[in-house]
Amino acid sequence: ALEEVRKQYGVDGGNIFLGGNSMGGDGTFYLASRYPDVFRAIAPCGALVSENLDAIDMGGIRDMPILLVVGTENIDFANLDRVVDYLKQKGAKAEGLGVGGGIHADAWIKALPDIFAFFART
């Protein structure tokens, strides 16, 4: 599907970014690790705040800029720094963004200006 969009709309292949929330945030990690040459940077939101960090395939995303976004009212917000530290220990270019007052369903919306600024500086 992405290839069709690239052809039809003349998308600059060097400027494709990926993000998603919750299960879509986990999917962001999955797609980026499967197709690392497609995406310039990723912003998984409301994702990877669980204990199963070793399940992340770091091979393809080790050099990819990652902005992990979690709302301060998300049940696992306290894990944000731990997850970012883990990603950095694995060699990733990871940053964390805690969204004040953000819940699981809306933190990514509140963070859109920051997400786009992150993409612009990568």
Side-chain angles (χ1 to χ4, degrees):
L2 179 57
E3 191 57 37
E4 284 299 314
V5 170
R6 288 172 75 173
K7 287 178 189 174
Q8 186 171 352
Y9 295 101
V11 173
D12 176 359
N15 286 306
I16 298 177
F17 304 92
L18 182 62
N21 187 59
S22 192
M23 190 172 172
D26 289 339
T28 296
F29 273 102
Y30 174 78
L31 287 172
S33 66
R34 290 280 302 233
Y35 307 101
D37 296 334
V38 172
F39 304 104
R40 185 164 150 189
I42 60 173
C45 306
L48 286 180
V49 289
S50 70
E51 299 298 320
N52 190 15
L53 300 179
D54 288 325
I56 306 167
D57 178 4
M58 294 299 298
I61 61 173
R62 190 169 318 280
D63 295 323
M64 186 179 298
I66 301 168
L67 178 64
L68 189 63
V69 179
V70 180
T72 59
E73 304 307 308
N74 193 1
I75 192 167
D76 287 329
F77 171 73
N79 287 327
L80 176 61
D81 290 337
R82 181 182 66 83
V83 174
V84 170
D85 288 344
Y86 175 87
L87 294 172
K88 286 180 177 180
Q89 288 171 7
K90 296 292 185 178
K93 300 173 186 175
E95 299 178 28
L97 175 63
V99 179
I103 62 172
H104 188 70
D106 73 359
W108 72 274
I109 297 168
K110 294 177 179 183
L112 279 174
D114 296 307
I115 293 168
F116 285 118
F118 171 77
F119 287 158
R121 74 174 190 264
T122 61

PDB file of all heavy atoms in Angstrom, residues 6 11-17 37-41 122:
ATOM      1  N   ARG A   6       3.330   6.107  -2.610  1.00  0.00           N
ATOM      2  CA  ARG A   6       4.564   6.765  -3.041  1.00  0.00           C
ATOM      3  C   ARG A   6       4.523   7.062  -4.533  1.00  0.00           C
ATOM      4  O   ARG A   6       4.903   8.155  -4.975  1.00  0.00           O
ATOM      5  CB  ARG A   6       5.776   5.901  -2.700  1.00  0.00           C
ATOM      6  CG  ARG A   6       6.076   5.858  -1.228  1.00  0.00           C
ATOM      7  CD  ARG A   6       7.155   4.864  -0.897  1.00  0.00           C
ATOM      8  NE  ARG A   6       8.458   5.388  -1.296  1.00  0.00           N
ATOM      9  CZ  ARG A   6       9.599   4.791  -1.016  1.00  0.00           C
ATOM     10  NH1 ARG A   6       9.606   3.651  -0.340  1.00  0.00           N
ATOM     11  NH2 ARG A   6      10.737   5.315  -1.388  1.00  0.00           N
ATOM     12  N   VAL A  11       5.783  10.781  -3.346  1.00  0.00           N
ATOM     13  CA  VAL A  11       6.320  10.945  -1.996  1.00  0.00           C
ATOM     14  C   VAL A  11       7.845  10.859  -2.017  1.00  0.00           C
ATOM     15  O   VAL A  11       8.421   9.989  -2.669  1.00  0.00           O
ATOM     16  CB  VAL A  11       5.740   9.854  -1.056  1.00  0.00           C
ATOM     17  CG1 VAL A  11       6.407   9.887   0.306  1.00  0.00           C
ATOM     18  CG2 VAL A  11       4.234  10.014  -0.939  1.00  0.00           C
ATOM     19  N   ASP A  12       8.484  11.781  -1.321  1.00  0.00           N
ATOM     20  CA  ASP A  12       9.936  11.770  -1.164  1.00  0.00           C
ATOM     21  C   ASP A  12      10.306  10.594  -0.269  1.00  0.00           C
ATOM     22  O   ASP A  12      10.022  10.600   0.929  1.00  0.00           O
ATOM     23  CB  ASP A  12      10.397  13.087  -0.540  1.00  0.00           C
ATOM     24  CG  ASP A  12      11.891  13.127  -0.251  1.00  0.00           C
ATOM     25  OD1 ASP A  12      12.603  12.136  -0.502  1.00  0.00           O
ATOM     26  OD2 ASP A  12      12.340  14.173   0.249  1.00  0.00           O
ATOM     27  N   GLY A  13      10.924   9.579  -0.841  1.00  0.00           N
ATOM     28  CA  GLY A  13      11.262   8.368  -0.108  1.00  0.00           C
ATOM     29  C   GLY A  13      12.202   8.583   1.052  1.00  0.00           C
ATOM     30  O   GLY A  13      12.277   7.758   1.963  1.00  0.00           O
ATOM     31  N   GLY A  14      12.912   9.701   1.095  1.00  0.00           N
ATOM     32  CA  GLY A  14      13.815   9.984   2.203  1.00  0.00           C
ATOM     33  C   GLY A  14      13.154  10.667   3.375  1.00  0.00           C
ATOM     34  O   GLY A  14      13.796  10.947   4.381  1.00  0.00           O
ATOM     35  N   ASN A  15      11.870  10.950   3.243  1.00  0.00           N
ATOM     36  CA  ASN A  15      11.151  11.668   4.293  1.00  0.00           C
ATOM     37  C   ASN A  15       9.845  10.982   4.652  1.00  0.00           C
ATOM     38  O   ASN A  15       8.781  11.595   4.649  1.00  0.00           O
ATOM     39  CB  ASN A  15      10.873  13.115   3.865  1.00  0.00           C
ATOM     40  CG  ASN A  15      12.120  13.951   3.911  1.00  0.00           C
ATOM     41  OD1 ASN A  15      12.789  14.016   4.933  1.00  0.00           O
ATOM     42  ND2 ASN A  15      12.460  14.566   2.803  1.00  0.00           N
ATOM     43  N   ILE A  16       9.927   9.704   4.975  1.00  0.00           N
ATOM     44  CA  ILE A  16       8.752   8.969   5.412  1.00  0.00           C
ATOM     45  C   ILE A  16       8.918   8.671   6.900  1.00  0.00           C
ATOM     46  O   ILE A  16       9.919   8.093   7.326  1.00  0.00           O
ATOM     47  CB  ILE A  16       8.562   7.668   4.611  1.00  0.00           C
ATOM     48  CG1 ILE A  16       8.350   8.003   3.133  1.00  0.00           C
ATOM     49  CG2 ILE A  16       7.382   6.866   5.166  1.00  0.00           C
ATOM     50  CD1 ILE A  16       8.227   6.805   2.231  1.00  0.00           C
ATOM     51  N   PHE A  17       7.933   9.098   7.664  1.00  0.00           N
ATOM     52  CA  PHE A  17       7.950   8.945   9.115  1.00  0.00           C
ATOM     53  C   PHE A  17       6.782   8.064   9.521  1.00  0.00           C
ATOM     54  O   PHE A  17       5.793   7.973   8.802  1.00  0.00           O
ATOM     55  CB  PHE A  17       7.847  10.315   9.786  1.00  0.00           C
ATOM     56  CG  PHE A  17       8.914  11.267   9.335  1.00  0.00           C
ATOM     57  CD1 PHE A  17       8.709  12.122   8.271  1.00  0.00           C
ATOM     58  CD2 PHE A  17      10.143  11.293   9.974  1.00  0.00           C
ATOM     59  CE1 PHE A  17       9.700  13.000   7.841  1.00  0.00           C
ATOM     60  CE2 PHE A  17      11.143  12.157   9.563  1.00  0.00           C
ATOM     61  CZ  PHE A  17      10.917  13.008   8.494  1.00  0.00           C
ATOM     62  N   ASP A  37      14.707   0.618   6.103  1.00  0.00           N
ATOM     63  CA  ASP A  37      15.151   1.511   5.041  1.00  0.00           C
ATOM     64  C   ASP A  37      14.031   2.421   4.533  1.00  0.00           C
ATOM     65  O   ASP A  37      14.296   3.351   3.771  1.00  0.00           O
ATOM     66  CB  ASP A  37      15.715   0.704   3.866  1.00  0.00           C
ATOM     67  CG  ASP A  37      16.969  -0.064   4.260  1.00  0.00           C
ATOM     68  OD1 ASP A  37      17.663   0.377   5.201  1.00  0.00           O
ATOM     69  OD2 ASP A  37      17.254  -1.099   3.640  1.00  0.00           O
ATOM     70  N   VAL A  38      12.806   2.165   4.970  1.00  0.00           N
ATOM     71  CA  VAL A  38      11.665   2.958   4.502  1.00  0.00           C
ATOM     72  C   VAL A  38      11.463   4.205   5.353  1.00  0.00           C
ATOM     73  O   VAL A  38      11.121   5.266   4.828  1.00  0.00           O
ATOM     74  CB  VAL A  38      10.372   2.101   4.510  1.00  0.00           C
ATOM     75  CG1 VAL A  38       9.146   2.947   4.214  1.00  0.00           C
ATOM     76  CG2 VAL A  38      10.494   0.950   3.522  1.00  0.00           C
ATOM     77  N   PHE A  39      11.709   4.107   6.662  1.00  0.00           N
ATOM     78  CA  PHE A  39      11.334   5.176   7.581  1.00  0.00           C
ATOM     79  C   PHE A  39      12.544   5.948   8.084  1.00  0.00           C
ATOM     80  O   PHE A  39      13.556   5.371   8.469  1.00  0.00           O
ATOM     81  CB  PHE A  39      10.553   4.593   8.755  1.00  0.00           C
ATOM     82  CG  PHE A  39       9.347   3.810   8.313  1.00  0.00           C
ATOM     83  CD1 PHE A  39       9.354   2.431   8.335  1.00  0.00           C
ATOM     84  CD2 PHE A  39       8.232   4.471   7.835  1.00  0.00           C
ATOM     85  CE1 PHE A  39       8.255   1.707   7.901  1.00  0.00           C
ATOM     86  CE2 PHE A  39       7.128   3.757   7.388  1.00  0.00           C
ATOM     87  CZ  PHE A  39       7.137   2.373   7.426  1.00  0.00           C
ATOM     88  N   ARG A  40      12.398   7.263   8.109  1.00  0.00           N
ATOM     89  CA  ARG A  40      13.484   8.132   8.573  1.00  0.00           C
ATOM     90  C   ARG A  40      13.504   8.235  10.095  1.00  0.00           C
ATOM     91  O   ARG A  40      14.571   8.354  10.701  1.00  0.00           O
ATOM     92  CB  ARG A  40      13.317   9.506   7.945  1.00  0.00           C
ATOM     93  CG  ARG A  40      14.427  10.442   8.264  1.00  0.00           C
ATOM     94  CD  ARG A  40      14.395  11.593   7.315  1.00  0.00           C
ATOM     95  NE  ARG A  40      14.915  12.781   7.965  1.00  0.00           N
ATOM     96  CZ  ARG A  40      14.860  13.971   7.446  1.00  0.00           C
ATOM     97  NH1 ARG A  40      14.288  14.153   6.270  1.00  0.00           N
ATOM     98  NH2 ARG A  40      15.356  14.997   8.068  1.00  0.00           N
ATOM     99  N   ALA A  41      12.331   8.230  10.722  1.00  0.00           N
ATOM    100  CA  ALA A  41      12.208   8.314  12.179  1.00  0.00           C
ATOM    101  C   ALA A  41      10.833   7.795  12.558  1.00  0.00           C
ATOM    102  O   ALA A  41       9.924   7.749  11.728  1.00  0.00           O
ATOM    103  CB  ALA A  41      12.381   9.755  12.664  1.00  0.00           C
ATOM    104  N   THR A 122      15.038  15.600  12.509  1.00  0.00           N
ATOM    105  CA  THR A 122      15.803  14.373  12.278  1.00  0.00           C
ATOM    106  C   THR A 122      16.370  14.342  10.879  1.00  0.00           C
ATOM    107  O   THR A 122      15.965  15.045  10.001  1.00  0.00           O
ATOM    108  CB  THR A 122      14.931  13.127  12.500  1.00  0.00           C
ATOM    109  OG1 THR A 122      13.851  13.124  11.596  1.00  0.00           O
ATOM    110  CG2 THR A 122      14.445  13.047  13.917  1.00  0.00           C
TER     111      THR A 122
END
